[in-house]
Amino acid sequence: MDIAEIDENGKGLLFFGTTTVKKIEKVKGQPNVYLLETTALLERTTQKTPQAGQFYLIKSAKSNVNYNRPISVYHAQDRMNADGKKEIDIQFMILEKGRGTQELCHLYQGEQMQIIGPLGTPWPQPESDELEKICIVGGGIGVAPVANFASTLPAKSYDFYACFKSGSYGLDYVQAKNLRITTDDGSVGIKGMLPVALTKEAVLNAGYKVIYACGPTPALNYVKNLAAEVGIKCWISMEHRMLCGLGACLGCTIETTQGLKRVCKDGPVFDAAILNFPKPAPRRMPLCPETEPDISIDIAGVHFENPTIASAGTFAFGQNFRGLSDVSAWGGIASKGCTLEPRIGNKGERSLEVAGGNMNSIGLQNPGIPTFIKELLPGMMKLGPVVIANLAGSDIESYVEGAKLLDKTDCNMIELNISCPNVKASGLAWGLSAETAYYCVSSVRAVTRKPLMVKLSPNAPDNRPIAIACIKAGADAISLINMVHGVAIDIDKGKPFFNNVHAGYSGPGLKPLALRIVYDVIEEINKLPPDKRVPVVGIGGISTWQDAVEFIMAGAHAVEIGQAKFTNPHVAIDIVNGLKAFMKSHGYKNLAEMRGIAQVKHISETGSGNEKTHYAELKNMILQDKPIVPNLSKQA
């Protein structure tokens, strides 16, 4: 903390604590704007009260998000209570947009919230020669911080331009000499956006000497360029995602002509002259209302009605969820992992909820492939979605014999789980090296004509050469990732929570790691000749349609969903509906138009020394059609 941020006793001047919601109400005429009011009881009279332009980091005290959200102060008033303690009544105007703001907008009176602040730089006060020549601009929810600033100025000493999509709000404390409102739909004021009211001629005729602005990026860029063109000063309040809000983590920097600046500490109010606004990305036109996007896909000749697949181990054999949800909504269903012989699974505790998901140690409990084929597969085939038989094993013989049996069935596809322990390689998984993966996949490929999808482990040092080796061995598709190994400790007993110590971790917290591995593997596959490339199915932490869109934009053909089914049995329906709505609004007629658009070229052959040399040699062996000889005793 800066010296300037502490009092004479070394105490912090900022407030961190819980407050009570005094009022929360939807702003009239707006579908997603709310006014929230709370009171902060300060611990010391030396603590700061917010100035116009500053913000607080706030969130619900019972939040499901990790970090507080930066929300500008709309109005604040400090006072002394009956006990002689300092209190601040603070109003926030909030746009319901993501998970954090959604929580805030749906708090109830009397609920607790956590706040940190006041933070950031305030609006600079106008110079004496600028009074009466002030232009204030607010767009959408950006009206709140400039309206707060306007309330600190003498009444009728400024002009105020407020721009909205529809209707108007946030003008309760504005006492402008001239108030000009524009709306996209013409419901209030002038029909159109900011440029229809705030023109070069209007600025010159009014004789403005300074502009204060906050709002959407295009509007701020317009204001900045307009101020520069007429040669007047301009102050702009910026916004950015934040973590600490104190300038420590450097996570909210923006590019300026003076280098990187922190929005939380150097801003949010900046001199517009130093700001660099990126060029807006071209927007796709929405599909016609009568046009429905095609979300069907084909993987290795198998047609899926949609790209959602119930992942192995979380949906059993398709029957358990029938009483809760429409299982036919899935594009495909992967069976529970089956081995040649029945397995009773692991003893002791098998599951544990942890931050961002769960850990489990089931141990591949299953009835064995013969029983699966005789008693369970017929019921799966009647459900409607594509049926994928997940094949697991410990030695090559069990994989091969299991594949032979599945080859004679009606299942649509085999998903080969090579994350299983290889008993001939000291218990290490078959998928931890390209050599052992090639050996296992090629052996199975030799005994079945079924489409073969190979499921890779995230615990490998690098899945790119492993994926290439699997393709070379005959894989028709790649699915990844399987669960990440983790450890949990029972602190009361002072020993590992799971009997096997290691357990699999899955859940939303896994998504960034899974997406990175999927992205890198697809990038590597795309280096192959087009006729050698195979589809990839993304797995890991997928629970919303937005997650599915990310994986598809990274290049995945489909997504497997596991843990999310436990909390939302309708997850496939929700993803399909959300995916369709997104594609319609963004103009994607089919998944192929969206697939892989996020792929960019960058150096992917990481590593150095022997690691990089081995990678290059292995890749050349695969591409030059040279045989890969596995060393089953070599640790991956």
Side-chain angles (χ1 to χ4, degrees), residues 100-181:
T101 52
Q102 184 181 52
E103 285 184 356
L104 291 168
C105 291
H106 295 280
L107 290 170
Y108 292 100
Q109 183 178 346
E111 282 197 274
Q112 297 293 297
M113 53 187 286
Q114 184 187 91
I115 74 172
I116 303 172
L119 304 168
T121 58
W123 295 103
Q125 288 296 310
E127 303 290 341
S128 57
D129 65 333
E130 294 172 347
L131 291 173
E132 308 292 333
K133 300 295 182 182
I134 300 170
C135 173
I136 300 177
V137 179
I141 201 67
V143 162
V146 287
N148 189 18
F149 172 64
S151 70
T152 68
L153 301 175
K156 310 297 183 181
S157 67
Y158 56 88
D159 288 347
F160 199 104
Y161 293 78
C163 311
F164 306 95
K165 288 184 177 180
S166 180
S168 65
Y169 57 89
L171 304 176
D172 307 85
Y173 304 105
V174 173
Q175 300 182 55
K177 180 169 55 177
N178 295 295
L179 174 62
R180 295 181 174 87
I181 299 175

Side-chain angles (χ1 to χ4, degrees), residues 89-347:
D89 295 321
I90 311 170
Q91 289 183 340
F92 300 100
M93 193 157 282
I94 306 173
L95 175 69
E96 183 181 357
K97 192 174 181 180
R99 289 190 302 146
T101 52
Q102 184 181 52
E103 285 184 356
L104 291 168
C105 291
H106 295 280
L107 290 170
Y108 292 100
Q109 183 178 346
E111 282 197 274
Q112 297 293 297
M113 53 187 286
Q114 184 187 91
I115 74 172
I116 303 172
L119 304 168
T121 58
W123 295 103
Q125 288 296 310
E127 303 290 341
S128 57
D129 65 333
E130 294 172 347
L131 291 173
E132 308 292 333
K133 300 295 182 182
I134 300 170
C135 173
I136 300 177
V137 179
I141 201 67
V143 162
V146 287
N148 189 18
F149 172 64
S151 70
T152 68
L153 301 175
K156 310 297 183 181
S157 67
Y158 56 88
D159 288 347
F160 199 104
Y161 293 78
C163 311
F164 306 95
K165 288 184 177 180
S166 180
S168 65
Y169 57 89
L171 304 176
D172 307 85
Y173 304 105
V174 173
Q175 300 182 55
K177 180 169 55 177
N178 295 295
L179 174 62
R180 295 181 174 87
I181 299 175
T182 71
T183 50
D184 290 358
D185 62 3
S187 55
V188 178
I190 306 171
K191 180 177 174 59
M193 293 184 286
L194 179 63
V196 303
L198 187 65
T199 62
K200 178 180 178 181
E201 291 72 20
V203 172
L204 293 174
N205 292 337
Y208 298 136
K209 291 189 176 181
V210 61
I211 301 178
Y212 297 83
C214 183
T217 299
L220 296 182
N221 193 22
Y222 172 78
V223 171
K224 173 200 168 180
N225 293 333
L226 180 59
E229 185 178 358
V230 298
I232 63 175
K233 191 180 298 181
C234 180
W235 300 99
I236 285 178
S237 179
M238 302 291 287
E239 65 173 19
H240 204 285
R241 293 182 178 88
M242 293 183 189
L243 299 178
C244 73
L246 302 168
C249 70
L250 307 178
C252 64
T253 59
I254 58 172
E255 293 184 10
T256 75
T257 59
Q258 297 178 359
L260 294 178
K261 295 288 185 179
R262 302 163 297 178
V263 172
C264 71
K265 191 74 173 177
D266 303 315
V269 176
F270 293 94
D271 181 343
I274 72 168
L275 296 177
N276 293 326
F277 288 100
K279 292 182 179 180
R283 292 183 61 87
R284 296 177 62 95
M285 295 299 295
L287 298 181
C288 298
E290 62 274 12
T291 302
E292 285 296 318
D294 180 8
I295 61 170
S296 66
I297 56 167
D298 290 284
I299 297 177
V302 178
H303 184 75
F304 293 73
E305 290 297 324
N306 69 68
T308 64
I309 300 173
S311 63
T314 61
F315 213 59
F317 301 98
Q319 304 294 339
N320 302 68
F321 281 80
R322 292 183 70 186
L324 286 177
S325 185
D326 181 8
V327 299
S328 67
W330 292 89
I333 298 174
S335 75
K336 189 165 184 58
C338 288
T339 51
L340 184 63
E341 302 294 336
R343 287 177 61 107
I344 62 172
N346 293 335
K347 295 181 179 180

Side-chain angles (χ1 to χ4, degrees), residues 518 522 535-538 548 550-559 591 595-596:
V518 168
I522 291 173
V536 170
V537 175
E550 285 192 65
F551 276 83
I552 293 167
M553 286 186 171
H557 271 64
V559 291
L591 292 177
R595 186 179 304 122

Side-chain angles (χ1 to χ4, degrees), residues 350-373:
R350 288 190 170 190
S351 65
L352 175 68
E353 182 178 358
V354 295
N358 72 80
M359 298 179 69
N360 69 80
S361 179
I362 309 301
L364 277 175
Q365 178 179 335
N366 74 91
I369 289 176
T371 300
F372 163 68
I373 292 173

